[in-house]
Amino acid sequence: MKSAITIALVPQIKSGPWVFWENLEDSIAKASALGFDAVELFTASATAVDTTLLQQLSESYRIRICAVGTGAGKVVQGLTLTDPNAVVRDRAIAFISEMIDFGAAFNAPAIIGSMQGNIPQGIERTTALQWLSEGISILAGKAEKKGVRLIYEPLNRYETNIFNCFADAVAWLETLGTNNIQLLADLFHMNIEEASIPETIYQYGSYIGHIHFADSNRRAIGMGHTSMSDIAKALQSISYSGYISAEVFPWPSSDAAAKQTINAFNTWFK
Ligand code: LER
Ligand code: MN
């Protein structure tokens, strides 16, 4: 298992659950000094960060890019894959497609979280799911050509009415006819939606491609009431070998959340 920490570079959403917020190089330097294996990036678009600079930073600080978030397409531009307007859905696909290209240069998958959107009012669920399936299938094919997976994230009920738990997300995934999509196990969302996080990991372990390492209150692990012992056992037992990435609030500060996270990672996974 590999450790990672989030860096957000989108000023419009400064209150979100990402650890580092300021300068890209400073954040990478801090992650490297603490011993993280990688950073997960949340950028305003695929061109918001200079890829040559990112490559240089990645090499000089010996830090990988483990994933790129696509949520800025929604929070900045108002795009989702389930918008009733086909033009907006196409723009959402184009936005994510560019993020897939950006991530693939670093062998990092793109994450579809809030870009899935919601079943819009007045639209049949089956119709909106059809839009989601079409969009995701195009994007999974695009990612495959680029040699990366696509990561789909079930979110809690306060963020989407599409799929909130793994059982429903997996059942839908099975209808898509691709094996290039993996699921993101965000421990914060799972704490709200799953009857048991460890049991869900045992049952659907083969679908898990990325983990968001967050406590019950979305602070760093150890700062809430999620019990990590059985979750760590479950991840070890399914031989999870991917990234465990802290998508948490910078509470009480970015530095303290980062330190707490690497200590928790070393406690449970080293
Ligand atoms: C994205 O990874 C996520 O978990 C969303 O809840 C962000 O708001
Ligand atoms: Mn998440």
Side-chain angles (χ1 to χ4, degrees):
M1 278 175 253
K2 295 162 284 189
S3 60
I5 191 142
T6 45
I7 302 175
L9 300 167
V10 185
Q12 290 94 329
I13 40 125
K14 270 239 161 187
S15 56
W18 294 280
V19 178
F20 290 120
W21 283 92
E22 304 300 335
N23 178 286
L24 178 65
E25 178 161 4
D26 288 353
S27 306
I28 287 181
K30 284 180 178 181
S32 171
L34 286 168
F36 282 95
D37 297 308
V39 293
E40 178 177 325
L41 291 183
F42 191 87
T43 62
S45 72
T47 53
V49 169
D50 180 67
T51 45
T52 309
L53 170 68
L54 186 57
Q55 192 70 52
Q56 283 164 0
L57 294 175
S58 166
E59 281 165 22
S60 54
Y61 288 100
R62 295 172 185 277
I63 278 277
R64 288 173 189 227
I65 315 304
C66 68
V68 296
T70 63
K74 179 180 179 193
V75 294
V76 179
Q77 298 190 32
L79 310 173
T80 72
L81 296 171
T82 47
D83 194 283
N85 182 338
V87 175
V88 177
R89 294 199 299 279
D90 284 347
R91 286 181 54 214
I93 292 171
F95 181 90
I96 298 168
S97 185
E98 287 172 14
M99 292 302 294
I100 290 171
D101 284 332
F102 169 52
F106 299 89
N107 205 23
I111 296 169
I112 297 183
S114 54
M115 283 295 276
Q116 66 193 275
N118 272 282
I119 311 290
Q121 274 202 331
I123 300 285
E124 290 288 337
R125 184 173 172 85
T126 49
T127 304
L129 287 186
Q130 186 59 32
W131 294 335
L132 181 68
S133 298
E134 282 166 12
I136 293 259
S137 297
I138 291 168
L139 293 164
K142 154 96 196 204
E144 194 161 14
K145 284 203 194 96
K146 289 280 168 174
V148 284
R149 292 277 167 89
L150 187 65
I151 305 282
Y152 173 81
E153 179 173 21
L155 303 174
N156 74 68
R157 69 190 69 183
Y158 307 106
E159 294 189 36
T160 187
N161 57 6
I162 295 185
F163 305 116
N164 305 122
C165 60
F166 263 62
D168 292 341
V170 165
W172 164 72
L173 209 53
E174 290 292 326
T175 67
L176 297 184
T178 169
N179 54 15
N180 201 42
I181 304 176
Q182 286 184 303
L183 297 181
L184 197 164
D186 182 321
L187 302 184
F188 167 74
H189 298 306
M190 294 176 83
N191 172 66
I192 296 170
E193 299 295 345
E194 304 292 349
S196 159
I197 299 178
E199 285 307 321
T200 303
I201 293 170
Y202 285 119
Q203 194 168 356
Y204 299 112
S206 61
Y207 293 90
I208 299 177
H210 195 69
I211 291 178
H212 279 158
F213 194 41
D215 216 315
S216 52
N217 50 6
R218 227 172 197 183
R219 291 178 180 170
I221 288 283
M223 291 177 157
H225 59 73
T226 292
S227 170
M228 265 310 294
S229 163
D230 287 345
I231 295 174
K233 262 191 233 151
L235 288 172
Q236 266 136 11
S237 136
I238 64 160
S239 301
Y240 178 73
S241 61
Y243 285 98
I244 304 206
S245 179
E247 186 187 64
V248 298
F249 292 115
W251 190 92
S253 65
S254 297
D255 290 348
K259 183 97 187 78
Q260 172 74 24
T261 292
I262 199 70
N263 287 346
F265 179 86
N266 290 336
T267 300
W268 296 111
F269 302 113
K270 274 215 161 161

